[in-house]
Amino acid sequence: MAMYVLVHGSWHDGPLWGPVAEQLRAAGHEVHTPTIAGHGNGVPKDVDHDDCVASIVDFVVEHDLSGFVLLGHSFGGTVIARVAEEIPERIERLIFWNAFVPQPGNSLMDEVPPHYREMFAGLAAASEDNTVPMPFPVWRDAFIQDADLELAQSTHAQLSTEPFTPFTDKLDLQRFYALDIPKSYINATEDTALPQGEWGWHPRMSGRLGAFRLVQLPGSHEVMFTNPALLAAKIVEAGRP
Amino acid sequence: MAMYVLVHGSWHDGPLWGPVAEQLRAAGHEVHTPTIAGHGNGVPKDVDHDDCVASIVDFVVEHDLSGFVLLGHSFGGTVIARVAEEIPERIERLIFWNAFVPQPGNSLMDEVPPHYREMFAGLAAASEDNTVPMPFPVWRDAFIQDADLELAQSTHAQLSTEPFTPFTDKLDLQRFYALDIPKSYINATEDTALPQGEWGWHPRMSGRLGAFRLVQLPGSHEVMFTNPALLAAKIVEAGRP
Amino acid sequence: MAMYVLVHGSWHDGPLWGPVAEQLRAAGHEVHTPTIAGHGNGVPKDVDHDDCVASIVDFVVEHDLSGFVLLGHSFGGTVIARVAEEIPERIERLIFWNAFVPQPGNSLMDEVPPHYREMFAGLAAASEDNTVPMPFPVWRDAFIQDADLELAQSTHAQLSTEPFTPFTDKLDLQRFYALDIPKSYINATEDTALPQGEWGWHPRMSGRLGAFRLVQLPGSHEVMFTNPALLAAKIVEAGRP
């Protein structure tokens, strides 16, 4: 059996992995689902990208975890790439699930299409605490279109505002690109959180990994809610030796 | 339950929606399948694109339909984009199923690869009434390759010649691109009626919609014949709130 | 019932078609699985591309086969394109399964991305007999990622070294591109033996065929081992009239 550390994406927190973690545990695996600094409800939102990374590194060190598969979803890809730079010796394999793999020196904002840049910057400027909320129409049609309306609404109600500074922080990542940890990319074939094609996840982001293992499944960016059993099975395929 | 108005593509007519409409009705939905002017057998073929649009607008107004989902397949995409310009207030959502979304000012001919342009123009010139027949080898391998030979032949026998003028009429579409009606794109992943890649349906056509909901299914351009139950289910996913 | 001649790819030999051939035979088809010259274990490896082609042509002529579907996998695509130039009248349809369709005048090496060119040339230079072995990490993550480790290992143990000269021989193929034999392309959607995108199999290679029938299935480059029943079914779809 394997050990998985699952790092969530923007607007999410650790507990939202519940249904996926349950599936993995039922199959005998050990699963950890830490919450990134500044994420979730009722916490200070004035964090930068280094704080995000430190919070996951601290979690791993405090629990003295090693020999685990480290998975990042979406924004979580920027976090696990940096975590891998800090504690490479503890990580058996990296899995990017429809996750950002930024080019050296880029911020997340540099990697999204212009209309997202405008929307995120506008929403952050309009907020009181430099955070970006998830607009329901974007969630419903671009993130979780494979849910019915009820599930789209109930999951949206569990989201929290996203600190904006980690989106704009430039990430060096030179050390990440020199690591020889094995890597996998999971691609949900209906994921349109990034528009497919020129600005898409795969093969644009995945191709930057060099040698990697591709695993695909049908589903949206939020298939963790719409088909947690299938996602869990694909995490196992992506993570096994 | 929802109401659907299904607009067919080239070489088709309304009654060919039969198996899909049956599935939708069995699920409790109201379904209308008008035939576009100049389409089907035994009708005058000297129509232009405006006549095509007017025939669908008239159908909707005469039946006083509103609050419906308007779906266009293939060439039908050019028709529903124009219908939406004329009667936007009646339409709840637009679904483009492997359908053309022409750039402002373009005709359908401007949107197809050079070898199709040549073939269509040649077949129209060789006809007595400026129409394009569907050659069986094209139908069998590029349109309905997921059928067995018998189904490919029986469906081909139900097709009718396509008036050529609606292919060459330039479409302004400025008003369409300013509409805020929600939009979905259904993509059959083996559809090669347009060759995949540079000249393909998705993400080339879909990406022009701005914000839209992507729904995919396995199947050819004519999955309405080869898997009507799955297509009907995907229409519901694409059309629901 | 149909007759199939299946031409394997690099590092493979004819007997490795076993599970797929068994499925096709169980469905009533006649199946031939010749081994390309210089392939398999215990044979001389000093062959060029013409020798590869001649070995398949000779097999067909010696067994006096005609009216068959000729399928090539991967490197086998370069072979069946040339075989079709030599004995076109015997072939009912060509199927390229994630196979090379080289541009006129190109070698296989001209069609693979730079990192493969370097790796193949380096491995051949390091060998005693100008052959390329298949490194296990490449096999496991890029060729057969949908297998568990045990199947990845047991299949890797059955591979043989690949003669390098057929990779570097330039292929004229002018006659192939003038043939009007019907063609199909089978694409396994998780195949990353060539990286997806700019250097990928589909639509890059498939699009060179002109008119062709597309058939897709989930699976890796080695889905012949991981899901032989599904591949056999797709070969039938690709090969039927």
Side-chain angles (χ1 to χ4, degrees):
Chain A
M1 296 299 98
M3 189 197 303
Y4 296 96
V5 176
L6 309 179
V7 178
H8 60 81
S10 298
W11 302 286
H12 286 230
D13 58 15
L16 290 179
W17 286 111
V20 172
E22 194 180 323
Q23 294 282 338
L24 289 168
R25 286 180 187 127
H29 303 291
E30 183 176 336
V31 184
H32 298 271
T33 61
T35 293
I36 301 169
H39 288 70
N41 288 305
V43 299
K45 295 283 172 180
D46 55 336
V47 295
D48 62 14
H49 198 278
D50 282 343
D51 296 325
C52 294
V53 172
S55 66
I56 301 301
V57 170
D58 290 351
F59 178 91
V60 168
V61 173
E62 275 163 27
H63 292 73
D64 197 19
L65 308 178
S66 67
F68 57 86
V69 173
L70 179 62
L71 178 147
H73 177 220
S74 200
F75 164 73
T78 71
V79 176
I80 66 166
R82 285 277 299 108
V83 168
E85 291 185 328
E86 303 301 323
I87 49 171
E89 70 287 353
R90 293 174 178 264
I91 302 169
E92 204 156 286
R93 182 178 281 266
L94 293 166
I95 303 177
F96 294 81
W97 163 38
N98 288 99
F100 289 94
V101 183
Q103 291 191 298
N106 270 3
S107 68
L108 181 144
M109 282 285 269
D110 295 325
E111 299 285 1
V112 300
H115 71 277
Y116 270 150
R117 257 175 254 157
E118 239 174 272
M119 181 176 81
F120 293 155
L123 289 166
S127 75
E128 291 184 1
D129 54 357
N130 199 32
T131 62
V132 180
M134 168 52 71
F136 184 73
V138 175
W139 180 253
R140 205 278 163 273
D141 272 6
F143 278 62
I144 197 165
Q145 76 272 24
D146 53 349
D148 60 20
L149 182 59
E150 193 181 342
L151 182 59
Q153 288 169 333
S154 66
T155 50
H156 187 258
Q158 294 176 278
L159 302 178
S160 44
T161 59
E162 178 70 12
F164 187 52
T165 302
F167 278 18
T168 57
D169 283 340
K170 302 284 185 182
L171 307 175
D172 179 78
L173 292 179
Q174 300 279 4
R175 285 182 295 156
F176 166 71
Y177 279 104
L179 291 173
D180 63 354
I181 302 173
K183 301 175 190 76
S184 296
Y185 204 93
I186 299 179
N187 182 51
T189 53
E190 282 72 43
D191 190 326
T192 54
L194 285 184
Q196 300 191 348
E198 184 191 354
W199 288 96
W201 297 111
H202 172 72
R204 177 177 162 243
M205 293 289 167
S206 54
R208 297 173 182 172
L209 295 177
F212 73 99
R213 181 190 301 177
L214 175 67
V215 172
Q216 295 196 116
L217 74 165
S220 72
H221 194 62
E222 302 292 340
V223 68
M224 63 190 284
F225 299 123
T226 55
N227 199 348
L230 182 59
L231 179 60
K234 294 298 175 175
I235 290 173
V236 171
E237 276 188 42
R240 65 189 171 186
Chain B
M1 296 299 99
M3 188 196 304
Y4 296 95
V5 177
L6 308 180
V7 178
H8 61 81
S10 297
W11 303 285
H12 286 231
D13 58 14
L16 290 179
W17 286 111
V20 173
E22 193 181 322
Q23 294 282 338
L24 289 169
R25 286 181 187 126
H29 303 292
E30 183 177 335
V31 184
H32 299 270
T33 61
T35 292
I36 302 169
H39 288 70
N41 288 305
V43 299
K45 293 283 172 179
D46 56 335
V47 296
D48 62 13
H49 198 278
D50 282 345
D51 296 326
C52 293
V53 173
S55 67
I56 301 302
V57 170
D58 289 352
F59 178 92
V60 168
V61 172
E62 275 162 25
H63 292 76
D64 197 20
L65 308 178
S66 67
F68 58 85
V69 173
L70 179 62
L71 177 147
H73 176 220
S74 200
F75 164 72
T78 71
V79 175
I80 67 167
R82 285 278 298 106
V83 168
E85 290 185 327
E86 302 300 324
I87 51 170
E89 71 287 353
R90 291 173 180 263
I91 302 169
E92 205 157 284
R93 183 179 281 264
L94 293 166
I95 304 178
F96 294 81
W97 163 37
N98 288 99
F100 289 94
V101 183
Q103 289 191 301
N106 270 5
S107 67
L108 181 144
M109 282 284 270
D110 295 325
E111 299 285 0
V112 301
H115 71 278
Y116 270 150
R117 256 176 253 155
E118 242 175 88
M119 181 177 80
F120 293 155
L123 289 167
S127 75
E128 291 184 0
D129 55 356
N130 199 32
T131 62
V132 180
M134 168 53 71
F136 183 73
V138 175
W139 180 252
R140 205 280 163 274
D141 272 6
F143 277 63
I144 196 164
Q145 75 272 24
D146 53 348
D148 60 22
L149 182 59
E150 192 181 343
L151 182 59
Q153 288 170 331
S154 65
T155 50
H156 187 258
Q158 295 177 277
L159 302 179
S160 43
T161 59
E162 179 68 12
F164 187 51
T165 303
F167 278 19
T168 58
D169 284 340
K170 302 284 185 181
L171 307 175
D172 180 78
L173 292 179
Q174 299 280 1
R175 285 182 295 157
F176 166 71
Y177 279 104
L179 291 173
D180 63 354
I181 302 173
K183 300 175 190 77
S184 296
Y185 204 93
I186 299 179
N187 182 51
T189 53
E190 282 74 42
D191 191 326
T192 54
L194 286 184
Q196 300 191 348
E198 184 190 355
W199 288 96
W201 297 111
H202 171 73
R204 176 178 163 241
M205 293 287 168
S206 54
R208 298 173 182 172
L209 295 176
F212 73 99
R213 182 191 301 177
L214 176 67
V215 174
Q216 296 196 117
L217 75 166
S220 72
H221 194 62
E222 302 292 339
V223 69
M224 63 190 284
F225 298 123
T226 54
N227 200 347
L230 182 60
L231 179 60
K234 293 299 176 175
I235 290 173
V236 171
E237 275 187 42
R240 65 188 172 188
Chain C
M1 294 300 98
M3 188 197 304
Y4 296 95
V5 177
L6 309 179
V7 178
H8 61 81
S10 297
W11 303 286
H12 286 230
D13 58 14
L16 290 179
W17 286 110
V20 173
E22 193 180 324
Q23 293 282 338
L24 289 168
R25 287 179 187 128
H29 303 291
E30 184 177 336
V31 184
H32 298 271
T33 61
T35 292
I36 301 170
H39 288 70
N41 288 306
V43 299
K45 294 283 172 181
D46 56 336
V47 296
D48 62 13
H49 198 276
D50 282 344
D51 296 326
C52 294
V53 172
S55 67
I56 301 301
V57 170
D58 290 351
F59 178 91
V60 168
V61 172
E62 276 163 26
H63 293 74
D64 196 19
L65 308 178
S66 67
F68 57 85
V69 173
L70 179 61
L71 178 147
H73 177 219
S74 199
F75 165 73
T78 71
V79 176
I80 66 167
R82 285 278 298 105
V83 168
E85 291 186 326
E86 302 301 324
I87 49 170
E89 70 287 352
R90 291 174 179 264
I91 303 169
E92 204 157 285
R93 182 178 281 265
L94 293 165
I95 304 178
F96 293 81
W97 162 39
N98 288 98
F100 289 94
V101 184
Q103 290 191 299
N106 270 4
S107 68
L108 181 144
M109 282 284 271
D110 295 325
E111 300 285 1
V112 301
H115 71 277
Y116 270 149
R117 255 175 255 160
E118 241 174 273
M119 180 176 81
F120 293 154
L123 289 167
S127 74
E128 291 184 1
D129 54 356
N130 199 32
T131 62
V132 181
M134 167 54 71
F136 184 73
V138 175
W139 180 253
R140 205 279 162 274
D141 272 6
F143 278 62
I144 196 164
Q145 76 273 24
D146 53 349
D148 59 22
L149 182 60
E150 193 182 343
L151 182 59
Q153 288 169 333
S154 64
T155 51
H156 187 257
Q158 295 176 276
L159 303 179
S160 44
T161 58
E162 179 69 12
F164 188 51
T165 303
F167 278 18
T168 57
D169 283 339
K170 302 283 185 182
L171 307 175
D172 179 79
L173 292 180
Q174 300 279 2
R175 286 182 296 157
F176 167 71
Y177 278 104
L179 291 173
D180 62 353
I181 302 173
K183 300 174 189 78
S184 296
Y185 204 94
I186 299 179
N187 182 50
T189 53
E190 282 72 43
D191 190 326
T192 54
L194 286 184
Q196 301 193 347
E198 184 190 355
W199 287 97
W201 299 110
H202 171 71
R204 176 178 163 242
M205 293 288 168
S206 54
R208 297 172 182 172
L209 295 177
F212 73 99
R213 182 191 299 176
L214 176 68
V215 173
Q216 295 196 116
L217 74 166
S220 72
H221 194 63
E222 302 293 339
V223 68
M224 63 191 283
F225 299 123
T226 55
N227 199 347
L230 182 60
L231 179 61
K234 294 298 174 175
I235 290 174
V236 171
E237 275 187 43
R240 66 187 170 187

